[in-house]
Amino acid sequence: MSKKILLCATVDYHFRAFHLPYMKWFKEQGWEVHIAANGDMDLPYVDAKFNIPIQRSPFKRMNKKAYAELKSIIDENGYDIIHCHTPMGGVLARIAAREARRYGTKVIYTAHGFHFCKGAPFINWMLYYPLEKILSYWTDCLITINEEDYKLAIDHRFRARRIEHVHGVGVDTERFRPMNETKKHELKMKAGYSSGDILLFYAAEFNQNKNQQLLIHALSLLNNDVNNVNNVKLLLAGEGPLKEQCIELARGLGVADQVDFLGYRKDIERLLPMCDVAVASSLREGLPLNLMEAMACALPIIASSNRGHRELVHNDDNGWIVDPNDSEAMAAKVKLLAHHKDLRLKLGKSGREMVESRYAIHSVLDEKRMIYSLFMDKKVEGMWEIQ
C-alpha cells in the first residue's frame, strides 16, 4: 500500500502558487498526495482533495466545523506525513493530528512568517506567540523560511522535535529570467507604454498589510519634484478590499494616469521582465516570492523594511530598503534609478545572481528533500507517547 501525505492550508490556491514542485516530487516517489483546504480549485499531482471551510480569522465560528472535518479526514486516512501551511491551516491541522501522532504520523509545519516578530503589534505577540509555542509541542518539524523566524524559534525554545530553515519556496529561474533590451522595448510598446517609460511593478493583494498607498504617494512626490520625473509608471497587479481606495487615492493625488491597476494576473512571468524596477511596500513578510521572481528577472528592488525584505534586499547591492512610512525615501530611490540605467543593470544583475545561488527551485527542493527524507521511513508499530 502506498504511503500518504496530507497537505493542509487555509485556501487551496496556496498550493498552486507555492507547492506544485513538491507535490510532483512526492508523486514521483510513489506517494499519494491529499489536499485539505478551503476552495474547489483543480490541482495537479493530487489523489484526493477535501474542501473544508477553514477561515483566515481565528475568531470565525466556521473554523470549528473545519476542525471536525479535518480530524475526521486524518483519522480515516492514516497519513504518514501531514505538512501544514498558513497560520490557521497550521493551527487546525496540528490540533486535529494529535491522536494520529500516537500511531506514528509525522507533522511538519512551515511558518511562512510568524505574525509575531520584531516590530509587530503587541496584540500579535499576545495572541499568536503563546499559540505557536504550545503548538510546537505537537510538531515534529518546524520549518522557517527566513533567518529571523529561525532565530526566534530557537531563542524562545520552541519544542518542535526539529527546527529547520529553508530559503523560501523556490523560484523557477527558467520561467522568470531577464529580457534583452530590444525585446523589453518591444513589449513596452505593445502594452501601450513608451520605450522610454520607467515601469515600476508590484504584485500583491490590496489589503492593509501590502500598503500600496506608500507607492502611490511616492509617485506623486516625483511629479512635485523640481526635476520632474514624469516618465515613471506604476503597475499594480492584484485584487483586494482596498483596491478602490487606492484608485481614489491616485486620482486625488493627480497620478491616476501614471498608475495602472492590472487586476488579478496569471502572466507575471511576462509582465516582470518588461519592467525596470520592482517595488514592495508591505509591512510584514516572511520571505516574499514576488521579490524573488523580480530578482530572477534582474530587476533592482526598492522595498519597505520588514524581515522578509531585509533578508532579500541588501542596500547598494541589489537595491535598497526604506522605511514603510517614508514615501520620500521611496521616491528618492525611484528617481535615482530612473536617471541611471547603468545602476539599474548593476543592481539587477546582482539580484539575479543571488537568486541563482540561494533561492532557485532546485536548491530549495534539495533542502526540502533532505527534511522530508527524515520522516519518510515506515511508520512505527504501535503507539508512542505524545510530547
Side-chain angles (χ1 to χ4, degrees):
M1 188 167 66
S2 63
K3 295 185 176 183
K4 300 178 191 175
I5 181 171
L6 174 68
L7 301 172
C8 180
T10 303
V11 293
D12 56 5
Y13 175 74
H14 181 86
F15 295 107
R16 179 173 291 281
F18 303 119
H19 300 294
L20 294 185
Y22 311 104
M23 293 156 60
K24 178 175 183 286
W25 181 78
F26 267 100
K27 290 296 295 177
E28 291 169 348
Q29 310 313 304
W31 282 53
E32 283 189 33
V33 175
H34 293 193
I35 298 291
N38 195 338
D40 56 5
M41 177 180 289
D42 288 330
L43 295 170
Y45 318 119
V46 173
D47 296 285
K49 187 169 183 293
F50 306 97
N51 184 352
I52 58 178
I54 302 178
Q55 306 297 304
R56 288 180 176 176
S57 170
F59 305 108
K60 296 289 186 179
R61 281 188 174 184
M62 193 62 72
N63 282 321
K64 185 176 180 180
K65 182 175 186 291
Y67 164 77
E69 292 183 15
L70 187 55
K71 188 175 187 308
S72 177
I73 291 164
I74 291 171
D75 291 345
E76 289 175 10
N77 284 280
Y79 294 107
D80 296 88
I81 294 176
I82 297 172
H83 191 170
C84 46
H85 303 265
T86 68
M88 283 311 299
V91 168
L92 296 180
R94 283 181 286 176
I95 297 174
R98 287 182 66 197
E99 185 174 347
R101 289 184 70 233
R102 290 184 175 183
Y103 296 93
T105 297
K106 302 300 189 293
V107 176
I108 303 171
Y109 171 56
T110 296
H112 292 267
F114 288 136
H115 277 26
F116 51 94
C117 57
K118 181 180 179 181
F122 180 69
I123 187 64
N124 285 25
W125 281 90
M126 289 290 292
L127 177 63
Y128 293 105
Y129 171 73
L131 184 59
E132 286 292 350
K133 186 72 177 283
I134 293 168
L135 290 172
S136 72
Y137 283 85
W138 306 327
T139 307
D140 293 290
C141 185
L142 168 62
I143 300 176
T144 61
I145 63 171
N146 61 64
E147 288 285 355
E148 186 174 314
D149 282 355
Y150 177 75
K151 188 173 186 301
L152 189 156
I154 295 293
D155 291 348
H156 288 259
R157 299 180 183 274
F158 278 33
R159 295 304 182 184
R161 293 190 168 189
R162 298 185 68 93
I163 300 175
E164 302 285 349
H165 171 242
V166 301
H167 290 86
V169 296
V171 182
D172 186 340
T173 52
E174 289 303 312
R175 182 179 170 211
F176 292 92
R177 56 185 306 111
M179 182 179 291
N180 66 53
E181 288 299 308
T182 300
K183 184 66 174 176
K184 185 187 286 271
H185 291 166
E186 180 182 311
L187 282 183
K188 281 185 179 181
M189 299 289 284
K190 188 175 181 180
Y193 302 104
S194 163
S195 61
D197 284 342
I198 302 298
L199 303 185
L200 315 180
F201 188 83
Y202 185 42
E205 181 182 2
F206 284 85
N207 60 37
Q208 187 174 359
N209 178 54
K210 298 305 181 181
N211 191 31
Q212 283 93 341
Q213 295 91 335
L214 170 74
L215 306 176
I216 298 170
H217 278 288
L219 190 62
S220 72
L221 291 175
L222 288 176
N223 287 350
N224 294 333
D225 193 277
V226 289
N227 298 313
N228 195 322
V229 184
N230 55 16
N231 64 331
V232 175
K233 313 290 184 185
L234 175 60
L235 282 59
L236 297 175
E239 296 289 348
L242 297 187
K243 181 179 176 181
E244 287 303 317
Q245 183 183 108
C246 288
I247 291 173
E248 287 302 316
L249 177 64
R251 288 175 182 156
L253 293 175
V255 294
D257 60 338
Q258 291 176 257
V259 185
D260 284 342
F261 293 88
L262 305 178
Y264 175 73
R265 301 298 292 254
K266 295 183 179 180
D267 58 346
I268 300 297
E269 72 276 13
R270 184 187 70 83
L271 293 170
L272 263 176
M274 80 171 185
C275 294
D276 302 284
V277 180
V279 290
S281 50
S282 53
L283 305 176
R284 185 189 69 253
E285 292 289 351
L287 196 73
L289 184 61
N290 61 344
L291 282 198
M292 289 187 277
E293 290 171 346
M295 290 162 60
C297 294
L299 298 190
I301 312 293
I302 311 171
S304 55
S305 182
N306 62 54
R307 69 195 145 164
H309 290 169
R310 289 191 298 268
E311 190 149 319
L312 291 172
V313 183
H314 303 158
N315 286 333
D316 299 317
D317 181 13
N318 64 323
W320 297 284
I321 294 292
V322 300
D323 187 279
N325 299 310
D326 194 344
S327 54
E328 291 185 359
M330 176 68 72
K333 295 305 183 185
V334 169
K335 180 180 176 182
L336 181 61
L337 289 179
H339 286 308
H340 295 89
K341 179 180 177 180
D342 56 340
L343 183 57
R344 297 200 302 269
L345 296 176
K346 173 180 174 290
L347 299 177
K349 180 175 181 292
S350 179
R352 171 73 185 187
E353 291 170 352
M354 186 188 300
V355 166
E356 289 178 320
S357 65
R358 301 179 203 172
Y359 302 105
I361 188 68
H362 60 84
S363 297
V364 178
L365 183 54
D366 283 344
E367 294 176 341
K368 286 280 191 72
R369 273 195 294 242
M370 290 181 65
I371 294 171
Y372 282 136
S373 68
L374 300 171
F375 302 98
M376 292 178 75
D377 292 334
K378 185 176 180 180
K379 289 200 295 184
V380 299
E381 298 295 333
M383 297 174 64
W384 52 282
E385 189 73 21
I386 290 183
Q387 292 177 319

